[in-house]
Amino acid sequence: MRLVSPNFSDIAEPNIEMKKFPDGDNYTCLPEIKDGEVYLFHRLYPEQDSALMQAFFMLNTLKRSGIKATLVSPYLPYSRQDKIFKKGEPLSAEIVCDLLSHSGAARLITVDCHFLKKEGTFKYGNLEIVNLSAKKLLVDYAKKLVGEIEVISPDMGANYLVAEFGGKSMKKVRGEYEKGEAAYRKIEKVEMDFDISGRNVLILDDMISTGGTMIKAIENVKKGGAKKVLCAATHGFFLKDSLQKLKNLCDYVFVTDSIPSAVSSVSLKDLLFSHTR
Ligand code: R5P
């Protein structure tokens, strides 16, 4: 059986009640469940901390009823905090996975999870994760737009997204944390040491957040003489005015509907539904 959160109403009719108490605390209420196993479709972004609490509550309800639950969420928040860069930091990615497992998730189905960097089934912390990839959907969409393309990634971490298409990767170097309230490590450089002149180029990443990585990558391929430039990712946050900046810089910008936006041209529905029932 599929349980569908209101934040997934674009792919199926929601059947979960979700509200806020007057003080802002989350309230969730699941429908009656007859099967011994469910797929819980619930996005964990935007408002990731609140969405995680809602997930914990729903998973706990299922656990107490003895129901096996698979959480289906294409984007896993905190997945970029899987390494300790500076002494004193937590392993946030592992904590989130442990909490999901502890709350009752038998497994998580997600898409292009940042720290896994390949498709398949993995154990991370105490959680079993089925990591799907949107790479083929995104590349097929790009080919429909402009025909043959070179598929490249803006850093080595996203190389797994482009390797099967014969793609190469740029090298990104991040510096120390910047001063100020935002925990952000500045991008010092993104280097490209291969030729793309005269070709249509798709720059593919797992996510676009501030757009800083993509902007530097687009500048590189334009300098390198690319014909048409497309930029795409599985997860598009498009913080601040980054979407407009990217649109101004390249020919096409698109992402999946992992996080719905004005440029979510590629649907994950069939991919997610083919792994659930
Ligand atoms: C990091 O390694 C990720 O794969 C993305 O490249 C990164 O998160 C994109 O962030 P931003 O858009 O802020 O440069």
Side-chain angles (χ1 to χ4, degrees):
M1 178 187 182
R2 290 190 187 115
L3 288 180
V4 183
S5 163
N7 73 12
F8 244 132
S9 62
D10 51 316
I11 68 151
E13 187 64 35
N15 50 10
I16 297 172
E17 198 185 347
M18 217 169 263
K19 300 181 186 188
K20 294 273 185 197
F21 286 101
D23 61 359
D25 283 359
N26 281 294
Y27 169 90
T28 62
C29 188
L30 302 182
E32 198 192 330
I33 295 154
K34 298 197 179 84
D35 303 20
E37 184 170 1
V38 303
Y39 291 93
L40 175 59
F41 281 73
H42 176 61
R43 283 190 173 98
L44 296 175
Y45 192 92
E47 295 179 30
Q48 61 270 47
D49 293 346
S50 181
L52 277 168
M53 290 307 288
Q54 291 163 338
F56 298 149
F57 297 162
M58 293 187 285
L59 290 165
N60 177 267
T61 305
L62 294 166
K63 183 167 135 180
R64 282 188 292 105
S65 308
I67 291 163
K68 184 177 174 198
T70 296
L71 176 64
V72 183
S73 187
Y75 172 66
L76 178 66
Y78 296 96
S79 56
R80 280 179 292 178
Q81 275 83 68
D82 63 316
K83 290 190 189 80
I84 291 176
F85 177 71
K86 188 173 148 191
K87 204 170 163 223
E89 295 175 347
L91 267 184
S92 314
E94 193 179 281
I95 295 167
V96 167
C97 290
D98 284 350
L99 287 170
L100 288 171
S101 164
H102 177 78
S103 302
R107 59 182 186 155
L108 166 72
I109 295 180
T110 192
V111 184
D112 292 321
C113 177
H114 182 76
F115 55 74
L116 292 175
K117 305 200 192 303
K118 55 182 166 203
E119 288 167 277
T121 301
F122 305 89
K123 188 95 179 189
Y124 187 81
N126 291 315
L127 185 65
E128 184 181 309
I129 304 179
V130 177
N131 189 35
L132 308 176
S133 181
K135 61 187 173 185
K136 191 163 181 320
L137 297 173
L138 291 162
V139 170
D140 286 349
Y141 184 79
K143 284 184 176 165
K144 270 192 208 136
L145 292 174
V146 297
E148 278 314 298
I149 41 163
E150 292 289 317
V151 187
I152 64 175
S153 70
D155 58 31
M156 294 306 294
N159 183 262
Y160 79 99
L161 292 173
V162 305
E164 83 171 70
F165 309 102
K168 298 193 169 134
S169 299
M170 298 184 197
K171 291 182 188 71
K172 176 166 81 179
V173 180
R174 280 198 190 264
E176 297 291 322
Y177 284 106
E178 288 189 331
K179 289 206 165 63
E181 279 186 12
Y184 183 75
R185 287 173 55 208
K186 198 173 147 193
I187 303 168
E188 297 202 321
K189 53 184 175 187
V190 176
E191 291 176 332
M192 185 178 81
D193 60 6
F194 46 89
D195 179 30
I196 43 77
S197 57
R199 324 245 180 88
N200 292 327
V201 176
L202 168 65
I203 310 171
L204 190 55
D205 205 351
D206 61 337
M207 60 181 87
I208 298 173
S209 175
T210 65
T213 303
M214 272 298 177
I215 289 170
K216 284 201 160 43
I218 294 166
E219 285 167 358
N220 281 348
V221 297
K222 282 175 121 180
K223 234 184 269 167
K227 206 154 91 185
K228 291 235 183 308
V229 181
L230 300 81
C231 92
T234 304
H235 315 289
F237 304 84
F238 299 115
L239 303 179
K240 297 191 181 154
D241 58 350
S242 55
L243 178 56
Q244 194 51 52
K245 280 189 185 154
L246 291 169
K247 280 182 170 176
N248 293 344
L249 275 174
C250 64
D251 297 283
Y252 297 96
V253 184
F254 56 94
V255 290
T256 76
D257 55 1
S258 156
I259 299 165
S261 75
V263 290
S264 291
S265 313
V266 174
S267 170
L268 292 175
K269 182 175 175 177
D270 291 347
L271 180 68
L272 297 177
F273 273 25
S274 67
H275 286 81
T276 60
R277 42 172 202 273

